Amino acid sequence: MLTPKDYKSALKPVWCPGCGDFAVLNAITKALAFMGLPREDVALISGIGCSSRIAAYTSVYGFHGVHGRALALASGLKGARPDLTVLVAGGDGDGLSIGGNHFIHACRRNMDMTYIIMDNEVYGMTKGQASPTTAPDWADSKLTPHGTGIRPFQPAGLALTAGASFIARDFTGDPNGLAKILVAAIEHKGFSFVQALSPCPTFRPEQIQWKRHVKAFEDEATRNPIEAAQRIQADDGMSTGIIFRNEYPVFRPGSGTDKGDRKS
């Protein structure tokens, strides 16, 4: 029996005190321990950024890739080693900016892996640069002193439109709840997307107040994309839970889409 601690490496995280990414690391290790997955059967792929350091802090197979390419690397690995449980982790900048094209195609391709975006609405590693999820009027950055003036991405909506078959959102202030969602995401057959609201106390200290605003979705997950879209668009981005879950054909390189995974 492996414990969450067994899935952590000897390296100590260097994130800022209070960073939500600590909770994501704990949630991942709790989920793997609950599922009892052998460490040699799991791979964690990450890109660049504060959150992408997470691969080094685990004792499973890991690869710290280059900016925006985590999903491309993970897709290649899953194609070569379909027996592995493949997790992918990164931030809102890494995944939705330079990695945005890989994200939408990973959603529509629907390979069997789980992608976790730690969303703090800022580039922490580049000292407070606005990210694709930053509100247009956020002006606490020297790079955008008057705000970006650009509407932010809605990650869950983007994933739904691109074709992800499992979409969820949770808050790092509830690591046990996040761990349960990760278990469901890993067990899901297909591409699972989990948006983890992960406050940055250094460059976005106001996000500490997120704990006052997060709440659970009133309804259970739907398999109807129209209902999921309505739920996402009507929400303020602070509701947590599994939003959408359906069974789409899973893509396997060399054999095309596995039509046997489709259910009526």
Side-chain angles (χ1 to χ4, degrees):
M1 294 288 293
L2 294 174
T3 67
K5 185 177 180 180
D6 292 321
Y7 291 93
K8 293 183 179 180
S9 71
L11 294 176
K12 300 299 181 183
V14 295
W15 295 311
C16 300
C19 177
D21 296 353
F22 284 101
V24 176
L25 174 62
N26 289 335
I28 289 174
T29 56
K30 286 181 178 180
L32 295 177
F34 177 82
M35 299 178 72
L37 296 175
R39 288 174 294 183
E40 63 272 18
D41 290 345
V42 181
L44 178 55
I45 313 300
S46 63
I48 290 295
C50 297
S51 56
S52 291
R53 296 176 181 271
I54 199 167
Y57 303 144
T58 68
S59 61
V60 300
Y61 284 118
F63 194 100
H64 192 176
V66 295
H67 203 182
R69 303 298 185 260
L71 282 169
L73 290 164
S75 297
L77 175 60
K78 187 65 180 181
R81 289 288 306 276
D83 56 305
L84 291 178
T85 295
V86 177
L87 308 178
V88 193
D92 44 294
D94 182 66
L96 300 175
S97 183
I98 192 170
N101 198 45
H102 291 299
F103 176 59
I104 60 176
H105 289 289
C107 289
R108 79 180 185 93
R109 192 174 293 118
N110 198 39
M111 295 183 76
D112 187 18
M113 54 190 182
T114 298
Y115 185 35
I116 308 159
I117 279 188
M118 286 158 263
D119 187 2
N120 56 16
E121 301 178 359
V122 72
Y123 284 87
M125 187 167 282
T126 53
K127 312 306 180 187
Q129 176 186 358
S131 84
T133 59
T134 302
D137 58 351
W138 182 67
D140 293 340
S141 170
K142 294 180 180 179
L143 296 174
T144 51
H146 303 292
T148 66
I150 304 172
R151 289 184 299 165
F153 273 142
Q154 166 51 271
L158 183 61
L160 179 68
T161 302
S165 55
F166 180 105
I167 302 168
R169 183 194 300 132
D170 215 322
F171 175 49
T172 56
D174 179 20
N176 289 331
L178 180 57
K180 291 179 181 178
I181 280 185
L182 289 179
V183 169
I186 295 169
E187 290 179 340
H188 175 76
K189 201 171 186 181
F191 185 81
S192 299
F193 170 62
V194 178
Q195 178 190 8
L197 301 175
S198 182
C200 175
T202 300
F203 296 105
R204 300 296 304 267
E206 71 277 11
Q207 292 175 346
I208 296 174
Q209 299 303 317
W210 277 358
K211 61 185 177 182
R212 297 172 181 252
H213 302 289
V214 293
K215 69 279 185 187
F217 276 108
E218 295 181 358
D219 300 320
E220 297 293 326
T222 179
R223 59 181 298 164
N224 185 324
I226 297 176
E227 292 179 0
Q230 292 173 335
R231 184 178 303 176
I232 292 169
Q233 294 303 320
D235 186 61
D236 62 358
M238 288 285 111
S239 295
T240 62
I242 300 174
I243 302 169
F244 177 76
R245 175 165 47 192
N246 204 344
E247 296 187 19
Y248 293 157
V250 177
F251 179 76
R252 292 183 174 86
S255 60
T257 299
D258 189 341
K259 297 180 180 179
D261 291 329
R262 184 193 298 273
K263 290 187 177 181
S264 59

